[in-house]
């Protein structure tokens, strides 16, 4: 009877150790995963909004420039767009021929 009790005691003492260590390993792994995936998502969005070069964009709707720093747009035209560091993320610089100005990003469909 005492050997059965010792055997039982060993099993019960080793089981909590395993169950305690396993959740802590899983918790640390799951804690690190969101930060990794968030940085990937954030960098993807940053790349989209702050492209190093220029891209083509199709204009979705007509847009009348509110001032001389903006560019008026006509629906379905294709313009060249790029971002400028420090510029509001809702806007891009647009170029059509020799005309240049800010354009709202919501009026554009970025092309490859």
């Amino acid at each position: 009877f005492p050997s059965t009790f010792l055997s039982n005691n060993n099993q019960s003492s080793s089981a909590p150790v395993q169950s305690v260590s396993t959740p802590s390993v899983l918790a640390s792994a799951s804690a690190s995963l969101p930060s990794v995936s968030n940085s990937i998502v954030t960098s993807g969005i940053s790349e989209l909004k702050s492209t190093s070069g220029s891209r083509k964009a199709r204009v979705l709707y007509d847009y009348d420039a509110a001032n001389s720093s903006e560019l008026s747009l006509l629906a379905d035209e294709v313009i060249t767009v790029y971002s400028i560091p420090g510029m509001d993320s809702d806007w891009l610089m647009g170029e059509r021929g020799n005309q240049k100005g800010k354009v709202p990003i919501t009026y554009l469909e970025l092309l490859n």
Side-chain angles (χ1 to χ4, degrees), residues 24-35:
S24 66
V25 169
L26 291 175
S28 65
S30 65
S32 66
L33 288 177
S35 64

Side-chain angles (χ1 to χ4, degrees), residues 9 21 29 40 68:
N9 194 12
S21 65
I40 291 169
S68 61

Side-chain angles (χ1 to χ4, degrees), residues 63-72 91 102 104:
Y63 177 75
D64 292 325
N67 58 48
S68 61
S69 70
E70 297 178 7
L71 182 64
S72 291
W91 295 80
K102 294 190 317 184

Side-chain angles (χ1 to χ4, degrees), residues 10-69:
N10 286 343
Q11 287 175 351
S12 65
S13 69
S14 66
V17 171
Q18 287 176 350
S19 65
V20 167
S21 65
T22 304
S24 66
V25 169
L26 291 175
S28 65
S30 65
S32 66
L33 288 177
S35 64
V36 170
S37 63
N38 286 345
S39 66
I40 291 169
V41 169
T42 304
S43 68
I45 292 170
S46 298
E47 280 181 38
L48 178 66
K49 290 189 177 179
S50 63
T51 55
S52 57
S54 58
R55 294 177 67 173
K56 297 290 185 185
R58 181 179 318 284
V59 178
L60 300 173
Y61 320 102
D62 290 352
Y63 177 75
D64 292 325
N67 58 48
S68 61
S69 70

